[in-house]
Amino acid sequence: EVQLVESGGGLVQPGGSLNLSCSASGFTFRDYDMTWIRRGPREVLEWVSTIRKGGLITSYTDSVKGRFTISRDDAKNTVYLELNSLKTEDTAMYYCVRGLSIGGPRGQGTRVTVSS
Protein backbone atom coordinates (compact mmCIF):
# COMPACT_ATOMS: atom_id res chain seq x y z
CA GLU A 1 0.00 0.00 0.00
CA VAL A 2 1.34 3.38 -1.02
CA GLN A 3 1.73 5.71 1.95
CA LEU A 4 2.90 9.31 1.88
CA VAL A 5 3.13 11.29 5.09
CA GLU A 6 3.84 15.01 4.95
CA SER A 7 5.11 17.07 7.85
CA GLY A 8 6.75 20.37 8.65
CA GLY A 9 3.96 22.84 8.03
CA GLY A 10 3.02 25.62 10.40
CA LEU A 11 2.34 29.29 10.91
CA VAL A 12 5.06 31.65 9.77
CA GLN A 13 5.36 35.38 9.16
CA PRO A 14 5.90 36.77 5.67
CA GLY A 15 9.54 36.42 4.74
CA GLY A 16 9.95 33.38 6.92
CA SER A 17 10.95 29.82 6.09
CA LEU A 18 9.71 26.29 6.55
CA ASN A 19 11.02 22.85 5.64
CA LEU A 20 8.47 20.30 4.54
CA SER A 21 9.13 16.57 4.46
CA CYS A 22 7.29 13.67 2.88
CA SER A 23 8.07 10.16 4.02
CA ALA A 24 7.13 7.44 1.55
CA SER A 25 6.50 3.73 1.90
CA GLY A 26 4.83 0.90 0.06
CA PHE A 27 6.71 1.34 -3.21
CA THR A 28 10.25 1.56 -4.55
CA PHE A 29 10.80 5.25 -3.91
CA ARG A 30 13.92 5.66 -6.03
CA ASP A 31 12.03 4.50 -9.14
CA TYR A 32 9.55 7.38 -9.04
CA ASP A 33 9.47 11.06 -9.81
CA MET A 34 8.00 12.99 -6.88
CA THR A 35 5.91 16.13 -6.91
CA TRP A 36 4.66 18.74 -4.46
CA ILE A 37 1.28 20.34 -5.03
CA ARG A 38 -0.79 22.72 -2.96
CA ARG A 39 -4.40 23.68 -2.44
CA GLY A 40 -4.93 27.28 -1.43
CA PRO A 41 -7.95 29.18 -0.10
CA ARG A 42 -9.60 29.06 -3.51
CA GLU A 43 -9.55 25.24 -3.33
CA VAL A 44 -7.68 24.88 -6.61
CA LEU A 45 -4.91 22.29 -6.81
CA GLU A 46 -1.70 23.85 -8.05
CA TRP A 47 1.46 22.09 -9.14
CA VAL A 48 4.43 23.48 -7.20
CA SER A 49 7.53 21.44 -7.95
CA THR A 50 8.80 18.11 -9.25
CA ILE A 51 12.01 16.21 -8.76
CA ARG A 52 12.78 13.44 -11.18
CA LYS A 53 14.03 10.03 -10.11
CA GLY A 54 17.75 10.26 -9.59
CA GLY A 55 17.35 13.75 -8.16
CA LEU A 56 19.23 15.61 -10.86
CA ILE A 57 16.32 17.31 -12.58
CA THR A 58 13.96 19.66 -10.79
CA SER A 59 11.26 22.04 -11.91
CA TYR A 60 9.16 24.74 -10.27
CA THR A 61 6.10 26.78 -10.95
CA ASP A 62 7.07 30.37 -11.74
CA SER A 63 5.63 31.83 -8.56
CA VAL A 64 8.04 29.86 -6.33
CA LYS A 65 11.20 29.85 -8.45
CA GLY A 66 14.15 31.13 -6.47
CA ARG A 67 12.29 30.73 -3.18
CA PHE A 68 11.49 27.02 -2.91
CA THR A 69 13.90 24.10 -3.24
CA ILE A 70 12.91 20.50 -3.76
CA SER A 71 15.23 17.63 -2.89
CA ARG A 72 15.11 13.94 -2.12
CA ASP A 73 16.97 11.34 -0.10
CA ASP A 74 16.39 7.93 -1.63
CA ALA A 75 18.10 6.20 1.29
CA LYS A 76 15.44 7.66 3.59
CA ASN A 77 12.54 7.40 1.11
CA THR A 78 11.87 11.07 1.69
CA VAL A 79 11.26 14.11 -0.46
CA TYR A 80 11.68 17.61 0.90
CA LEU A 81 10.50 21.08 0.03
CA GLU A 82 12.36 24.03 1.48
CA LEU A 83 10.23 27.16 1.53
CA ASN A 84 11.98 30.51 1.85
CA SER A 85 10.87 34.13 1.56
CA LEU A 86 7.32 33.02 2.16
CA LYS A 87 4.45 35.20 1.02
CA THR A 88 0.84 35.30 2.15
CA GLU A 89 -0.16 33.80 -1.18
CA ASP A 90 1.85 30.68 -0.32
CA THR A 91 -0.76 29.83 2.32
CA ALA A 92 -2.10 26.41 1.40
CA MET A 93 -2.28 22.75 2.22
CA TYR A 94 0.81 21.15 0.74
CA TYR A 95 0.79 17.57 -0.53
CA CYS A 96 3.46 15.30 -1.92
CA VAL A 97 2.43 13.16 -4.86
CA ARG A 98 3.99 10.08 -6.33
CA GLY A 99 4.76 10.68 -9.95
CA LEU A 100 4.20 13.63 -12.24
CA SER A 101 0.43 13.94 -12.18
CA ILE A 102 -1.35 16.03 -9.57
CA GLY A 103 -3.90 13.24 -9.55
CA GLY A 104 -1.44 10.62 -8.37
CA PRO A 105 -1.32 9.03 -4.92
CA ARG A 106 -0.77 11.66 -2.25
CA GLY A 107 -0.67 12.04 1.50
CA GLN A 108 -2.94 13.86 3.90
CA GLY A 109 -1.05 17.11 3.51
CA THR A 110 0.61 19.59 5.80
CA ARG A 111 -0.77 23.09 6.27
CA VAL A 112 1.33 26.18 5.67
CA THR A 113 -0.07 29.49 6.87
CA VAL A 114 1.79 32.69 6.10
CA SER A 115 0.43 35.57 8.12
CA SER A 116 1.61 38.51 10.19
Side-chain angles (χ1 to χ4, degrees), residues 1-4 7 12 36 38 41-42 45-46 49 51 68 72 77 85 87 91-93 96 100 107-108 110 114:
E1 178 187 2
V2 174
Q3 284 197 320
L4 298 162
S7 62
V12 63
W36 284 95
R38 64 187 179 185
R42 296 183 179 181
L45 277 176
E46 176 188 20
S49 181
I51 186 165
F68 291 8
R72 65 189 294 161
N77 290 350
S85 302
K87 305 176 180 180
T91 294
M93 185 73 84
C96 69
L100 298 175
Q108 82 292 344
T110 187
V114 185

Side-chain angles (χ1 to χ4, degrees), residues 33-76:
D33 305 321
M34 295 297 295
T35 294
W36 284 95
I37 62 174
R38 64 187 179 185
R39 188 194 300 271
R42 296 183 179 181
E43 296 296 316
V44 175
L45 277 176
E46 176 188 20
W47 170 75
V48 176
S49 181
T50 292
I51 186 165
R52 305 302 294 268
K53 58 184 179 182
L56 296 180
I57 298 173
T58 60
S59 53
Y60 302 89
T61 192
D62 285 346
S63 63
V64 309
K65 282 181 182 175
R67 300 189 298 120
F68 291 8
T69 302
I70 191 170
S71 61
R72 65 189 294 161
D73 185 338
D74 289 347
K76 295 183 178 180

